[in-house]
């Protein structure tokens, strides 16, 4: 860690800074900040002829709403402080986008690349069994999801283990989200975080007066972007920004290094190149400019750090040339680098807003699982028939005809992916507007991050107050 203060402490500091712009009583601010439950686990797994002790955590940061919600990460960086900080960010994230959950996070301190699929399965199942034993998982208790180093495969193992231990529980499929679509998952969850980053960015750059302050034109089309990390979040952000927003990706970095091409890099082709060669270095037309952090310093309109925390520190903050930073990863800018960037006039879209798309679609998945039916199953046919009758009348009254293709487009109900994406789009736009209003209403608020924390804290505190704990 290049930052000298702990990650959890730095989240607390942001919250304290925001609290000054609210009238939330001091004791309630302390309660909002506190981690409600921390589970520390050690269990053995067999590797060859020996054993290894696996270090794992699950933290439920806030019980003001239940269940608690948040991903599980597999990374060597995992420790209690990191998981506590990430769980806290989940609390503020869920509140900000009106996802009615408390925040949680889990972590296993491993590099998944060092284990076989079978060993990873053993680790995941054992971890799940420990959570079940401690009553730390369940549709109404705490609902994990993917995070760095995990994906639908791990979620399917978690579900299967849970169901084996909780046989007959009617809502068991809602005990985890981010599952494969064929295993009670929801379409659109895999790309939801990246898609949410795109919607948030598009909304942000649509305000001409805000863009003017940055010396930018309004509108997403033609903006230049640099992406750090081509994992799930980074690659989907880049692909969707390129395809749906006409954004030009001028720089990319991965663990092997950074590449630059001011003429634009086709991300799908780059991903295919990396799959084939094992590296982004040498991609046709691009220049190799240095290590994994080099791309962060490239000139661009939008910088998207989508890897891990602590990427922009006091060492490189002064060299950042981007006008907007979208924190697709959690905590990519350290607390001491943040003021350096603010002073330079960089607009930072904070992690707990801009990457909230994942948990938003997890919420839709959870709702789908609890309802035990697919969205639209009851009403789609009914709507189709009703729209058809209206269209028939229009045809009758106007004497004009409608082509089969137009009839199909005008009468059909939304598919699951369309409903998910529209719910996600609305969520990201609404939350941005709330943050922007708060920012405008309190002239003293220094930056968007603080404004976003103010929005979240107001919602969390009113939940506590309506519980009657803090009259
Ligand atoms: N791990 C993701 C996050 O940091 C998603 C959490 C979820 O879907 O519950 O927001």
């Amino acid at each position: 860690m290049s930052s000298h203060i702990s990650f959890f402490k730095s989240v607390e500091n942001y919250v304290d800074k925001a609290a000054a712009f609210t009238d939330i009583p001091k004791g309630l601010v302390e309660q909002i900040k506190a981690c409600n439950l921390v589970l520390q686990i050690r269990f053995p797994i067999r590797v060859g002829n020996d054993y290894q002790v696996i270090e794992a955590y699950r933290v439920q940061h806030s019980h003001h709403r239940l269940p608690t919600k948040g991903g599980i990460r597999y990374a060597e960086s995992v420790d209690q402080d990191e998981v506590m900080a990430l769980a806290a960010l989940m609390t503020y994230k869920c509140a900000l986008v009106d996802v009615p959950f408390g925040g949680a996070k889990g972590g296993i301190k491993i590099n998944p690349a060092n284990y076989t699929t079978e060993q990873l399965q053993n680790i995941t199942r054992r971890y799940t069994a420990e959570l079940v034993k401690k009553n730390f998982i369940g549709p109404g208790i705490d609902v994990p999801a993917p995070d760095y180093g995990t994906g639908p495969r791990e979620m399917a193992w978690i579900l299967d283990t849970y169901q084996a231990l909780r046989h007959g529980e009617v809502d068991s499929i809602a005990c985890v989200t981010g599952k494969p679509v064929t295993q009670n998952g929801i379409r659109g969850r895999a790309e939801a975080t990246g898609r949410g980053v795109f919607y948030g960015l598009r909304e942000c750059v649509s305000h001409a007066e805000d863009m003017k302050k940055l010396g930018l034109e309004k509108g997403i089309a033609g903006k230049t972007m640099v992406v750090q990390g081509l994992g799930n979040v980074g690659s989907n952000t880049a692909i969707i920004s390129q395809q749906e927003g006409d954004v030009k990706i001028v720089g990319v970095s991965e663990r092997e290094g950074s590449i630059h091409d001011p003429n634009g890099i086709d991300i799908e082709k780059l991903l295919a190149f990396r799959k084939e060669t094992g590296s982004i270095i040498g991609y046709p037309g691009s220049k190799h400019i240095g290590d994994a952090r080099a791309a962060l310093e490239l000139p661009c309109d939008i910088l998207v750090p989508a890897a891990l925390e602590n990427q922009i520190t006091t060492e490189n903050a002064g060299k950042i040339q981007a006008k907007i930073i979208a924190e697709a990863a959690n905590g990519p800018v350290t607390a001491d680098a943040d003021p350096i960037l603010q002073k330079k006039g960089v607009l930072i879209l904070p992690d707990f807003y801009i990457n909230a798309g994942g948990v938003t679609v997890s919420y839709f998945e959870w709702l789908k699982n609890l309802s035990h039916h697919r969205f639209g199953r009851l009403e789609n046919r009914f709507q189709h028939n009703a729209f058809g009758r209206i269209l028939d009348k229009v045809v009758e009254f106007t004497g004009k005809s409608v082509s089969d293709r137009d009839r199909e487009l005008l009468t059909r109900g939304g598919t699951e992916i369309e409903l998910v994406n529209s719910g996600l789009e609305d969520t990201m736009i609404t939350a941005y507007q709330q943050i922007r209003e708060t920012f405008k209403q309190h002239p003293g608020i220094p930056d968007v991050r603080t404004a976003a924390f103010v929005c979240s804290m107001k919602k969390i505190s009113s939940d506590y107050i309506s519980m009657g704990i803090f009259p």
Side-chain angles (χ1 to χ4, degrees):
M1 256 217 193
S2 58
S3 177
H4 55 275
I5 52 168
S6 91
F7 190 6
F8 182 67
K9 185 79 199 139
S10 73
V11 176
E12 287 197 312
N13 289 349
Y14 285 135
V15 177
D16 285 332
K17 191 168 149 194
F21 299 96
T22 70
D23 50 13
I24 304 169
K26 196 168 172 294
L28 181 45
V29 173
E30 291 307 309
Q31 174 55 37
I32 291 172
K33 277 159 48 183
C35 264
N36 294 177
L37 266 179
V38 179
L39 178 65
Q40 195 185 109
I41 315 164
R42 298 284 186 282
F43 57 83
I45 63 143
R46 196 171 174 140
V47 180
N49 289 327
D50 202 358
Y51 294 86
Q52 246 182 43
V53 184
I54 302 291
E55 179 182 335
Y57 302 87
R58 183 74 186 172
V59 173
Q60 295 169 4
H61 172 262
S62 180
H63 289 161
H64 74 289
R65 292 242 176 174
L66 288 171
T68 51
K69 188 87 190 77
I72 298 175
R73 80 167 40 178
Y74 290 1
E76 266 165 345
S77 62
V78 166
D79 60 22
Q80 187 171 319
D81 180 76
E82 185 190 68
V83 184
M84 283 169 65
L86 294 167
L89 285 173
M90 287 307 302
T91 295
Y92 303 107
K93 188 182 302 187
C94 291
L96 189 63
V97 292
D98 293 324
V99 165
F101 299 144
K105 200 77 158 204
I108 304 186
K109 194 182 181 64
I110 52 165
N111 175 357
N114 296 341
Y115 296 87
T116 63
T117 305
E118 198 186 340
Q119 287 164 346
L120 286 172
Q121 181 167 173
N122 284 341
I123 293 169
T124 307
R125 287 184 180 279
R126 176 62 186 258
Y127 175 75
T128 310
E130 296 293 329
L131 296 182
V132 171
K133 237 163 54 184
K134 292 288 169 201
N135 214 15
F136 254 71
I137 181 172
I141 300 170
D142 185 357
V143 182
D147 198 81
Y148 189 90
T150 59
R153 177 184 72 173
E154 285 73 18
M155 303 308 117
W157 291 334
I158 292 173
L159 173 64
D160 187 58
T161 310
Y162 184 86
Q163 289 186 318
L165 296 170
R166 291 264 196 263
H167 177 67
E169 200 181 278
V170 67
D171 287 329
S172 60
I173 51 171
C175 76
V176 61
T177 61
K179 301 178 291 288
V181 175
T182 52
Q183 309 266 323
N184 300 293
I186 196 165
R187 284 175 184 78
R189 175 63 186 85
E191 62 273 27
T193 310
R195 178 166 289 282
V197 174
F198 169 67
Y199 289 146
L201 271 169
R202 195 189 57 190
E203 181 58 25
C204 166
V205 301
S206 72
H207 298 277
E209 46 173 307
D210 302 355
M211 289 305 102
K212 209 167 156 205
K213 285 187 202 135
L214 300 173
L216 294 174
E217 294 289 318
K218 91 170 215 189
I220 192 81
K223 291 269 179 304
T224 55
M225 181 185 273
V226 169
V227 181
Q228 184 198 33
L230 288 179
N232 175 292
V233 180
S235 61
N236 282 304
T237 301
I239 291 171
I240 295 167
S241 299
Q242 202 160 48
Q243 291 177 353
E244 295 178 31
D246 216 2
V247 165
K248 198 193 265 183
I249 315 286
V250 294
V252 174
S253 87
E254 248 301 336
R255 55 187 104 222
E256 61 270 17
S258 296
I259 58 169
H260 180 211
D261 184 354
N263 297 317
I265 297 163
D266 183 312
I267 295 299
E268 282 185 316
K269 285 191 186 145
L270 177 66
L271 286 168
F273 178 85
R274 186 169 193 249
K275 209 167 170 193
E276 207 181 294
T277 64
S279 170
I280 59 172
I281 314 298
Y283 179 70
S286 74
K287 201 170 135 203
H288 179 195
I289 55 160
D291 69 4
R293 291 199 187 183
L296 297 170
E297 297 168 19
L298 282 171
C300 61
D301 300 325
I302 303 164
L303 174 61
V304 182
L308 278 174
E309 58 263 25
N310 297 331
Q311 298 305 303
I312 302 174
T313 65
T314 50
E315 280 153 43
N316 56 0
K319 296 184 220 144
I320 302 294
Q321 300 188 61
K323 306 273 172 46
I324 300 172
I325 298 180
E327 294 185 330
N330 289 307
V333 173
T334 62
D336 42 8
D338 188 82
I340 301 175
L341 295 163
Q342 303 292 358
K343 212 187 243 160
K344 280 166 66 104
V346 180
L347 171 62
I348 301 179
L349 295 172
D351 44 14
F352 69 102
Y353 163 65
I354 203 68
N355 72 29
V359 76
T360 301
V361 176
S362 275
Y363 170 47
F364 301 156
E365 180 176 334
W366 183 78
L367 289 174
K368 174 188 175 178
N369 293 157
L370 290 182
S371 73
H372 296 268
H373 77 85
R374 161 172 60 74
F375 287 124
R377 180 166 178 185
L378 287 179
E379 68 274 24
N380 269 6
R381 185 60 46 183
F382 177 80
Q383 272 177 0
H384 176 70
N385 293 337
F387 290 150
R389 284 193 294 273
I390 297 172
L391 203 57
D392 287 345
K393 282 287 166 207
V394 174
V395 168
E396 187 188 319
F397 293 153
T398 60
K400 303 246 165 73
S401 64
V402 177
S403 71
D404 286 352
R405 201 184 120 73
D406 281 349
R407 174 171 290 273
E408 166 65 18
L409 279 175
L410 290 167
T411 59
R412 71 184 180 82
T415 60
E416 183 173 84
I417 185 83
E418 287 168 333
L419 293 171
V420 162
N421 288 349
S422 91
L424 173 59
E425 184 176 6
D426 188 61
T427 302
M428 295 305 292
I429 293 175
T430 306
Y432 190 76
Q433 286 169 352
Q434 284 174 10
I435 300 169
R436 195 166 176 270
E437 270 313 298
T438 305
F439 197 27
K440 279 170 67 180
Q441 272 165 16
H442 301 266
I445 293 184
D447 49 59
V448 176
R449 190 191 310 277
T450 310
F453 271 115
V454 169
C455 289
S456 299
M457 289 175 74
K458 282 187 176 164
K459 294 185 194 181
I460 301 165
S461 72
S462 76
D463 276 345
Y464 271 113
I465 290 164
S466 61
M467 275 178 208
I469 302 172
F470 292 88

